[in-house]
Amino acid sequence: MKRKVTLKQIAKELDVSISTVSKSLRDSPEISEETRLKVQAFAKLYNYKPNNIALSLKNRKTKTIGVIIPEIVHHFFSTVISGVESVANEYGYSVVVCLSNESFDKEVINMEMLANGSIDGFIMSLSKETQFKKDFHHINEVISQGMPVVMFDRITNEIFCDKVIIDDKQAAYEAVSYLIEKGRKQIALVTTADYVSVGKLRTDGYMKALADHDIAVNEKLIIRADDEIQCKQEVQKLLEQGAIDGVLAVNELYAVTIIKTANKMQIAVPEQLAVIAFTDGIISQYATPTITTVSQNGIKMGQTAAKMLIDRLEEEETEYSTAEQYTTEVIETNLIIRDSTN
Amino acid sequence: MKRKVTLKQIAKELDVSISTVSKSLRDSPEISEETRLKVQAFAKLYNYKPNNIALSLKNRKTKTIGVIIPEIVHHFFSTVISGVESVANEYGYSVVVCLSNESFDKEVINMEMLANGSIDGFIMSLSKETQFKKDFHHINEVISQGMPVVMFDRITNEIFCDKVIIDDKQAAYEAVSYLIEKGRKQIALVTTADYVSVGKLRTDGYMKALADHDIAVNEKLIIRADDEIQCKQEVQKLLEQGAIDGVLAVNELYAVTIIKTANKMQIAVPEQLAVIAFTDGIISQYATPTITTVSQNGIKMGQTAAKMLIDRLEEEETEYSTAEQYTTEVIETNLIIRDSTN
DNA sequence: AGATACGCCGAAAACGTTTTCGTGTTGAAA
DNA sequence: TTTCAACACGAAAACGTTTTCGGCGTATCT
């Protein structure tokens, strides 16, 4: 078991100073070619690699990005991580992932843990509980310490930082409009509680689409479901009443639940009921019928967020940071037409 | 923008030495109560938190676990991460995730990057390319430097380290046996190339089940598909010949592809074709019909791997490490019966 | 009174780097 | 021969901690 070799050991072995070794390895012109080559050869032989921790301490930067998300077992969030990871790596950054499990406390703990020197900046999406409590002190804390934060998807306007989102309202608007154009007249919206930021926006888009097409909003057709069971029950009621011929579900799980419910009631999808889901994921691609979705492009969100954060980090370096202007990038969505609409 | 406060700053402010501050904050009995309380109050006021990097450098350990997986946009791997994260957090460890994207080179680069002091140990699953090349020098490298490695799921016997796997052979055996018990006689196996370690084992289990039930193995019923398109084509051929009434697919995607193919050919699942998939994930739960699966319990795999690694790390601490015995934990699988079998 | 003990605190080393500055040697120019 | 620049290298500080050791002042014991 040969431990990692350090500059000091090389120096001692070669009977030169640590400085000489360091300079040699960094090809400093201060060092004679003879010494330089000798040191380099020795270092290569012993497979010397500089210690990241020591570098981090010295440079006061870690080249690491912290990502905090509510859940990783969630196709959307994994795609975001995937996107973050790709551009982070491209720029020589590592990624550390922490999960809040939708819990405020865990979100706070994780942030504090990472904020103490472990990372250079954050990319995060708020937990449900945080959105509910509207308590963002932990985020303001790290920002005020000069650590850049980029929020994505589940954001809040109460925090000033860079953000990347999709235009939830517009996306919902387009989805509902599509249903209307296809001749649907009684369109339900199945969403989550309003305190989840995206839920509210999607509801707004739904309403606007109806209004623009001169369809009256029927509050009974707006279902706020906490889980799939509730979703199923509520939708079943509406279907029994023959009250709907189209539905926009706020996520894939709800959409597939709705389709299954309809099937069980001998209601054909898409003939009698057209379904569109937010969040394009695996399920929509493999459900029967395949589901028309609003694609969120998590990869691109992740890539954009990472790029914004890294720009912020490198800009800081050059201390030009009078440009304290935060920006919000909007990632375009698009409707992926599949078999659950016609 | 108030930068994080350090011991040095507190010391200067309070006109004591750095040592005194450090000791006060760690409740050392060396320090008088008066000084101690004064320092603690001041530290609390300025929200002092020790710098992790400095601690890592001093203690030569980072309290961080490195996880390298082939893909994160994959339900199984995300559940594993989720499991790792939960027990890591419980023991005060962070998790940094790197993706190999099934590429050997990226796997090597990521490992070398993390191995230089960034983490205390690895949890990893081999990329396809690595399994194909059978080049494990990068893993042996870190192990020989005294860094513990735990491999899970996609492992190799050529590396000596702790491992956590499922009994792929046994699981396949049980799945096929179940099909046979349900009266299926012509059972196909749809798998991947044999160099993927789990592929080989599952094939073995399939063969053994047939043999134990006195059914001759028909090589034509063993399909090695590189992707879903190939899977579809091959299965379609078999179905046209009426050659099969049951199938074990090595993953969910293949299973759902097979079901869709059958549906299109007016072949009823499960009546005319029973389907079982390896890897219980989202798709199986929401496909139509829902799919009977071999559950892999990624969460538990992750938890077990994390526990093994942490045990290894803390054991090292006490330098009792004569126990250089590596163990392999086998996570039990179970068949989740759904609607694709009867 | 002198020796001893103890309470309280600071200096310094260590972790592994990078970098600035200083210093000794050499050779050439004056 | 003196002066000076160029060259090659080393010492030391710095990043932020923890911890060992030593020291000083006061109180206690003989």
Side-chain angles (χ1 to χ4, degrees):
Chain A
M1 186 166 101
K2 35 166 193 172
R3 279 227 110 67
K4 295 227 63 148
V5 61
T6 68
L7 289 186
K8 192 194 281 191
Q9 291 167 27
I10 298 181
K12 185 194 276 186
E13 207 75 26
L14 260 45
D15 205 38
V16 293
S17 76
I18 297 181
S19 334
T20 305
V21 178
S22 176
K23 288 172 191 165
S24 298
L25 295 178
R26 324 199 90 244
D27 281 324
S28 160
E30 271 187 61
I31 305 296
S32 71
E33 182 164 354
E34 191 194 341
T35 313
R36 192 159 45 79
L37 293 180
K38 187 177 63 178
V39 171
Q40 288 177 352
F42 192 90
K44 185 159 210 169
L45 180 63
Y46 281 83
N47 193 26
Y48 170 80
K49 296 270 167 48
N51 180 308
N52 286 331
I53 297 293
L55 286 180
S56 295
L57 184 58
K58 178 127 218 353
N59 302 331
R60 277 122 128 252
K61 70 175 100 130
T62 60
K63 284 278 191 177
T64 302
I65 294 176
V67 177
I68 298 188
I69 52 176
E71 266 285 1
I72 202 173
V73 188
H74 222 276
H75 188 260
F76 171 65
F77 286 119
S78 1
T79 56
V80 173
I81 292 201
S82 187
V84 169
E85 224 263 351
S86 68
V87 347
N89 268 37
E90 188 183 327
Y91 286 87
Y93 284 78
S94 306
V95 176
V96 3
V97 175
C98 284
L99 312 179
S100 63
N101 280 321
E102 303 285 12
S103 143
F104 173 76
D105 289 336
K106 254 204 103 183
E107 186 176 297
V108 173
I109 291 176
N110 279 327
M111 279 199 83
E112 288 183 348
M113 179 172 206
L114 293 182
N116 296 320
S118 302
I119 62 167
D120 295 340
F122 279 106
I123 293 177
M124 67 181 302
S125 194
L126 295 173
S127 80
K128 277 186 188 158
E129 206 186 341
T130 308
Q131 290 197 113
F132 182 66
K133 296 180 75 162
K134 293 184 188 301
D135 181 347
F136 310 113
H137 77 273
H138 51 303
I139 306 178
N140 276 321
E141 179 86 5
V142 305
I143 291 178
S144 80
Q145 282 168 4
M147 182 169 288
V149 173
V150 177
M151 303 188 63
F152 72 91
D153 197 55
R154 309 218 296 222
I155 65 168
T156 171
N157 290 325
E158 296 183 30
I159 295 277
F160 296 103
C161 66
D162 292 318
K163 291 160 189 161
V164 23
I165 53 172
I166 64 167
D167 190 339
D168 281 284
K169 183 173 173 182
Q170 176 66 17
Y173 180 89
E174 284 172 13
V176 173
S177 296
Y178 180 78
L179 288 175
I180 296 173
E181 282 160 23
K182 289 294 177 178
R184 309 294 167 160
K185 308 223 179 292
Q186 300 155 295
I187 300 170
L189 173 70
V190 182
T191 180
T192 53
D194 264 355
Y195 63 80
V196 177
S197 58
V198 293
K200 177 82 173 67
L201 291 169
R202 291 171 190 175
T203 305
D204 291 348
Y206 164 82
M207 302 250 219
K208 181 155 188 294
L210 292 187
D212 283 5
H213 291 82
D214 297 319
I215 298 180
V217 172
N218 179 353
E219 276 292 341
K220 287 185 188 149
L221 299 190
I222 301 183
I223 298 175
R224 290 189 176 77
D226 290 329
D227 54 34
E228 293 150 50
I229 298 173
Q230 199 185 345
C231 165
K232 177 177 179 169
Q233 292 169 341
E234 298 294 328
V235 169
Q236 196 164 353
K237 270 189 230 163
L238 291 180
L239 287 174
E240 280 165 0
Q241 301 164 10
I244 55 175
D245 57 7
V247 54
L248 172 61
V250 87
N251 62 44
E252 284 192 314
L253 261 45
Y254 284 2
V256 73
T257 302
I258 292 165
I259 290 176
K260 290 202 169 220
T261 306
N263 279 343
K264 213 165 277 172
M265 299 172 68
Q266 310 286 345
I267 295 174
V269 176
E271 291 78 5
Q272 295 168 268
L273 182 71
V275 177
I276 297 184
F278 249 87
T279 314
D280 184 50
I282 295 284
I283 297 180
S284 301
Q285 295 169 44
Y286 289 98
T288 310
T290 55
I291 304 175
T292 296
T293 59
V294 176
S295 156
Q296 266 179 290
N297 208 343
I299 300 259
K300 185 153 186 195
M301 280 194 104
Q303 290 173 332
T304 309
K307 187 65 170 62
M308 287 174 91
L309 181 61
I310 291 174
D311 282 351
R312 198 57 88 171
L313 291 171
E314 325 255 279
E315 149 205 316
E316 261 182 12
E317 207 143 312
T318 57
E319 287 303 351
Y320 274 128
S321 46
T322 23
E324 269 301 356
Q325 228 64 299
Y326 294 120
T327 70
T328 296
E329 295 263 356
V330 178
I331 305 295
E332 71 279 12
T333 61
N334 52 313
L335 213 52
I336 300 184
I337 312 292
R338 296 209 183 87
D339 298 341
S340 65
T341 55
N342 58 357
Chain B
M1 186 165 101
K2 36 167 195 176
R3 277 228 114 63
K4 295 226 64 151
V5 62
T6 68
L7 289 187
K8 192 193 282 193
Q9 291 166 27
I10 298 182
K12 185 193 277 184
E13 208 73 27
L14 261 44
D15 205 38
V16 292
S17 76
I18 297 181
S19 335
T20 304
V21 177
S22 176
K23 287 172 190 165
S24 298
L25 294 178
R26 325 198 90 245
D27 279 325
S28 160
E30 271 187 63
I31 305 296
S32 72
E33 184 166 352
E34 190 194 339
T35 312
R36 192 158 46 78
L37 293 180
K38 186 176 65 179
V39 171
Q40 289 177 351
F42 193 90
K44 185 159 210 171
L45 180 63
Y46 279 83
N47 193 25
Y48 170 80
K49 296 270 169 48
N51 180 306
N52 285 332
I53 297 293
L55 286 180
S56 296
L57 184 57
K58 178 126 219 352
N59 301 332
R60 277 120 131 257
K61 69 175 96 136
T62 60
K63 283 279 191 176
T64 303
I65 294 176
V67 177
I68 298 188
I69 52 175
E71 266 285 359
I72 201 173
V73 188
H74 222 276
H75 189 261
F76 171 64
F77 287 118
S78 358
T79 56
V80 173
I81 292 199
S82 187
V84 169
E85 224 263 350
S86 68
V87 348
N89 269 38
E90 188 183 327
Y91 287 86
Y93 285 77
S94 306
V95 176
V96 3
V97 175
C98 285
L99 312 179
S100 64
N101 279 320
E102 304 285 11
S103 143
F104 173 77
D105 289 336
K106 253 203 105 183
E107 185 175 298
V108 173
I109 291 175
N110 279 327
M111 279 200 83
E112 288 183 346
M113 179 173 207
L114 293 183
N116 296 321
S118 302
I119 62 168
D120 294 340
F122 279 106
I123 292 177
M124 66 181 302
S125 194
L126 295 171
S127 79
K128 277 186 188 159
E129 205 185 343
T130 308
Q131 290 197 113
F132 182 66
K133 296 180 76 162
K134 293 182 191 295
D135 182 347
F136 309 113
H137 76 275
H138 52 304
I139 307 179
N140 276 322
E141 179 86 6
V142 305
I143 291 179
S144 79
Q145 284 168 3
M147 181 168 288
V149 173
V150 177
M151 303 187 64
F152 72 91
D153 197 56
R154 300 218 214 132
I155 65 167
T156 171
N157 289 325
E158 297 184 31
I159 296 277
F160 296 103
C161 66
D162 292 317
K163 291 160 190 163
V164 23
I165 53 173
I166 64 166
D167 191 338
D168 280 285
K169 184 173 172 183
Q170 176 67 18
Y173 180 88
E174 284 171 14
V176 173
S177 296
Y178 180 79
L179 288 175
I180 295 172
E181 283 159 22
K182 289 294 176 181
R184 309 295 168 160
K185 308 222 179 294
Q186 300 157 296
I187 300 170
L189 173 69
V190 182
T191 180
T192 53
D194 264 354
Y195 63 80
V196 177
S197 58
V198 294
K200 177 84 171 63
L201 291 169
R202 290 172 190 175
T203 305
D204 291 348
Y206 164 83
M207 303 250 220
K208 181 154 188 296
L210 292 186
D212 283 4
H213 291 83
D214 298 318
I215 299 180
V217 173
N218 179 352
E219 275 293 343
K220 286 187 186 144
L221 298 191
I222 301 182
I223 297 174
R224 291 190 177 75
D226 290 330
D227 54 35
E228 293 151 52
I229 297 173
Q230 198 185 347
C231 165
K232 177 177 178 167
Q233 291 171 343
E234 298 293 328
V235 167
Q236 194 164 355
K237 271 189 225 160
L238 291 180
L239 287 175
E240 280 165 0
Q241 301 164 11
I244 54 176
D245 57 7
V247 53
L248 172 61
V250 86
N251 62 45
E252 284 192 314
L253 261 47
Y254 285 3
V256 73
T257 302
I258 291 165
I259 290 176
K260 291 205 169 217
T261 307
N263 279 343
K264 212 165 278 171
M265 299 171 71
Q266 309 287 346
I267 296 174
V269 176
E271 292 78 6
Q272 296 168 267
L273 182 70
V275 177
I276 297 185
F278 249 87
T279 315
D280 184 50
I282 295 285
I283 297 179
S284 301
Q285 295 169 42
Y286 290 98
T288 310
T290 54
I291 304 175
T292 296
T293 59
V294 175
S295 157
Q296 268 178 289
N297 208 343
I299 299 258
K300 186 155 187 192
M301 281 194 102
Q303 290 174 330
T304 309
K307 187 65 171 64
M308 288 176 90
L309 182 61
I310 292 173
D311 281 350
R312 198 58 88 174
L313 292 171
E314 324 255 281
E315 148 204 317
E316 262 182 11
E317 207 144 311
T318 57
E319 286 305 349
Y320 273 129
S321 46
T322 22
E324 268 302 358
Q325 228 65 299
Y326 294 121
T327 70
T328 296
E329 294 264 358
V330 179
I331 304 295
E332 71 278 14
T333 61
N334 53 311
L335 213 53
I336 300 184
I337 312 293
R338 296 207 183 88
D339 298 342
S340 66
T341 56
N342 57 358

